[in-house]
Every structure is written in C-alpha cells, then in structure tokens.
Amino acid sequence: MLMDRRAALAGLGVAAIGFAARAGTVTDTDVIIIGAGVAGISAARALKALGLSAVILEARDRIGGRALTETGTLGRAFDRGPYWLHNKATNPLVPLARQAGVGLLESSYSDGAAFDQGSLSRDVTWKAVLGAASTWELRQRLLLTGLKDRPLGATIPNPTPAQRHLKNIWAVEMGDDPDRVSRDGYYVLEAGEDLIPDIGMGSLVQGLARDLPVRLNSPVTRLTWSEAHGVTAEGAFGQIRARKAIVTVPTGVLASGALRFDPALPVATQTAINNLPMGALEKVAMVLDRPIPDLPEYAISNSHVQQGQYHALLVSPDKQMITALIPGPMSRRLSAEGQPAMEAFALSLLKNVIGSAARVQASAATHWLGDAFALGSYPHQTVGHADARRIYSQPIEDRLFFAGDAGDDPLAITVGGAWRQGGKAAQSAARLLNARIR
Ligand SMILES: Cc1cc2nc3c(=O)[nH]c(=O)nc-3n(C[C@H](O)[C@H](O)[C@H](O)COP(=O)(O)OP(=O)(O)OC[C@H]3O[C@@H](n4cnc5c(N)ncnc54)[C@H](O)[C@@H]3O)c2cc1C
C-alpha cells in the first residue's frame, strides 16, 4: 500500500517536470515565482486556483527545494531535509497530505531518553528534561514577557544537567547555538505534537506540485522591478517579464547577493533579510544491521550534551535507521572538515547511545551549508530584531513579494510556515491583479 502511494506520487512529480520541459520560452505572465520549494509550490497552486497565470523559475534540476526524500543511497527513504510536519493541529500540509491519501505517523518529543555507554543515563532522566522545558515555558510566560530581547541561551545562564538538554533541544530546533538565537524569535513559534508523512516529506511536496508550470535549471541572477509595468527575471535562460514577482529563495541565498535586485532592495528589507540568517543542521543517516527495539524516537548522548556537543539521534519507526541531527557551530566545523569527520562524529554519538549493540551497514550525510541554493538549514532571527520577519513579509511597491520559511508566521522556519506564506503572497498579488478572491 505504501509503495503504491509512493509510486503514484512519484508519477505526479514526473508529470510536473514534463510540463516544465514542454513549456518553451515564456515571455509574459501574471506572476513570476522564484523557487519551486514548498512556498513556491503553494503560491503557484493558489494563483492557479484564482485563474491567474504563473511561471515558477527553479535553479535546481528538481522541485521541492530543501524538501528532498532520497531513496537511492540507503535502499530506504531518507529525508535529507524536513521530516516532521510540525504542530499537527495548525499545519496546513496535514489536511493536504490526508486528501492525497498519504499516511501520517504520530511523533512526540516525550518519547525520548538520554544515554551513556549503551544504557539509560544515570545522571539525567527524560522526565527531568521535559520538566525543565515546562518550567522554562511557564517562567517566560509569567515573568519575562515584555523584557528586552536577549539570546535564548542567556535565559539559562548556569544550566543544570537537565537544562543542558533543554539547550540541546533548542539548538536542534533552531539550527544554531542558543546563544546566537533571539529568545523572542523562538518564543513566538508554535509548538505541538508532530506527524511524519510515511512516504517522506520530499515525496509529499513533489506530489503537491502536480501540473504546475515549473521551469527547472533556471537560476535567476537578476530581478528588475523598477518598470512601471512590472518585473523582469533574468538568467542564462533569458528574460521573463511579469506583472508581479514572488521570491521564495532562502534568506541565506538572498544575503549572499547571488540574486541581484535592480534597483537594490529598500534598506529595511535588506536589513530584515540580514537579520534572518540561515542556521546549520546536517544529518547523518545510519542503517544498522538489525533493529534496536528498545530505543525511543529521540535518543540523546548525555555526555556529548554535557560537553556542549549538541545533537539528536532520531530513530526510525522500524528502529533500524538512526539519523544524527547535528546543529550549529559543530555542524559548521564538521562540514568544513568534510563528510568523514561528520560521519565519525555521528558514530561516536551512536556508540555512546547503543554501546556495541549493532553495526552500521550503510550511511549517508547531507551538506546543506555547501548547497548554493540553500546555504544552510533554516533561518532564525537575530537578537533585538523582533520586526525582521514582519518587514521581510511586507510587499514592496505592490510588485515584489517575499515568501518562504523566513516569513512572519507562527510556523516560521518550517514547511508549514513556508506553505502558508506562499499562499498569502499569492493572495496579495492576486488582489492587486484584481482576481476574484473568495
Ligand atoms: C536538515 C533540515 C531539516 C529540516 N527539518 C524540518 C522538519 O522536520 N520539518 C519542517 O517543517 N521543516 C524542516 N526543515 C525546514 C524546511 O525544509 C524549510 O522550512 C522549507 O523547506 C522551506 O521551504 P521554502 O519554499 O521556503 O524554501 P526552499 O525549499 O529552500 O525553496 C526555495 C527554492 O528556491 C530555489 N532557488 C534558490 N536560488 C534560486 C535562484 N537564484 N533562482 C531560482 N531558484 C532559486 C531553490 O533551489 C529552492 O528550490 C528542515 C530543513 C533542513 C535543511
């Protein structure tokens, strides 16, 4: 049954690519969308539903952006990017996945444990970690709301062993050292129970791009938005003119200058982009020679956490694939050293969690920091820049719209937020184009 659905969705993805190849040179359209990730796909679907024409220009040779389910390397699905549909109660992709017949597996952070030398840690229980998290939440709500923003990490200056695990969770969630992340930017984000699409997030996203007009291998290098009549996107593919543009390129790529705006973006927008830097989160997936049935969904190496080596080991539902999530400075250092260093670190985590209970049969590692069309994992907000997400999400001269996971959304930094922001940008553009919006 699972394979049937995966095959069906993969077929839909091929249809979208086929359409792109046949599209030929487009010279005029209502809206140009830059980027065929979650936000771009959502924007294109919304515009199509409103009867407007749109073209998605995508730099890569595939759709999905950071959402990518790899099936070739490990003989099983490995989500190199997003894996969870966070906060199932409000996530807009949950009903879409259900409509598409995709199975959704329950997931909960309460199913975790800290380990040392192959056994449950004697120093820290998961109950104590969850307790530290609820106490922190309560304290922020009761005592600290309204205080000046500060680094998330500074809210726990002298952590207990259990609080070090809370900092570890923050590092994984935000993709950076909690000492560099804004407390306010973290606190506004919605959190709740998660779901996992059983076909993989990348496959789900690919299926949602069915029949959309995507032009692959089309990196936009310059976007001119000064003309009274609209915008022009340029690249090696030529030029495409439109009345509006929705830009869904990650903030790290925008900050790098790889996509030039003519005229330059307003200072407020550029400053907002610079204050929404990409964090780092790399994954090392390890397939074991046999399942380890007793492992929880989240397994953490206590001794590594106590030394500030932040990580999480994510255990697959069948307990045979363990994926190390490595955030922040550690991830940057290991990425610079190369894949063997990253894999050796993941192995040291695994060893402290399961002891010598199993062998790794196959492994695969990501390198999002070196991916020119991502340049990192997802964008956090720097300290003292509470307005950055709002300013980034504001249309510019009713012509240029930024949308993506950096947008002003309670599900920012996730696929749920990117989906909603893409849809919102499309609605705003459509309103200005006088489309009939219900
Ligand atoms: C390791 C990792 C784990 C994650 N885990 C989760 C998770 O479990 N759950 C969750 O909800 N989120 C997770 N995320 C975050 C999630 O992947 C993003 O929030 C979401 O995919 C962002 O979608 P987007 O459309 O905004 O951006 P993207 O997916 O990055 O899409 C932007 C698109 O623009 C294209 N592009 C870039 N430059 C150009 C150019 N010049 N011209 C044309 N096209 C261009 C890119 O190729 C890309 O396709 C994770 C991310 C990573 C990296």
Side-chain angles (χ1 to χ4, degrees), residues 34-41 57-60 62-67 79-86 91 201 218-221 248-250 253 258-259 278 281-283 325 366 368 371-374 376-379 392 403-406 412-419:
I34 307 183
V38 174
I41 292 167
L57 296 169
E58 168 54 51
R60 302 177 202 263
R62 61 169 181 83
I63 49 180
R66 277 167 275 164
D79 271 314
R80 295 182 73 88
Y83 171 75
W84 292 278
L85 287 170
H86 289 303
N91 195 310
M201 185 76 81
S218 304
V220 179
T221 50
T248 72
V249 168
V253 178
L259 167 53
M278 298 295 276
L281 185 77
E282 301 296 352
K283 291 187 174 184
L325 310 182
T366 64
W368 290 106
D371 179 324
F373 302 120
S377 56
Y378 33 86
Y392 159 89
D405 64 345
I413 78 173
T414 73
V415 295
W419 186 271

Side-chain angles (χ1 to χ4, degrees), residues 303-378:
S303 59
H304 286 85
V305 168
Q306 300 307 332
Q307 290 165 39
Q309 296 183 344
Y310 296 143
H311 69 280
L313 291 183
L314 168 67
V315 181
S316 65
D318 72 356
K319 312 281 183 190
Q320 202 171 344
M321 181 163 98
I322 302 197
T323 304
L325 310 182
I326 306 169
M330 189 73 183
S331 174
R332 289 182 195 280
R333 180 159 74 70
L334 294 170
S335 279
E337 284 176 30
Q339 184 153 334
M342 185 76 77
E343 294 195 7
F345 179 65
L347 213 53
S348 77
L349 299 170
L350 183 69
K351 205 166 159 222
N352 199 41
V353 166
I354 67 171
S356 53
R359 275 166 203 261
V360 175
Q361 274 188 331
S363 64
T366 64
H367 188 27
W368 290 106
L369 278 168
D371 179 324
F373 302 120
L375 293 179
S377 56
Y378 33 86

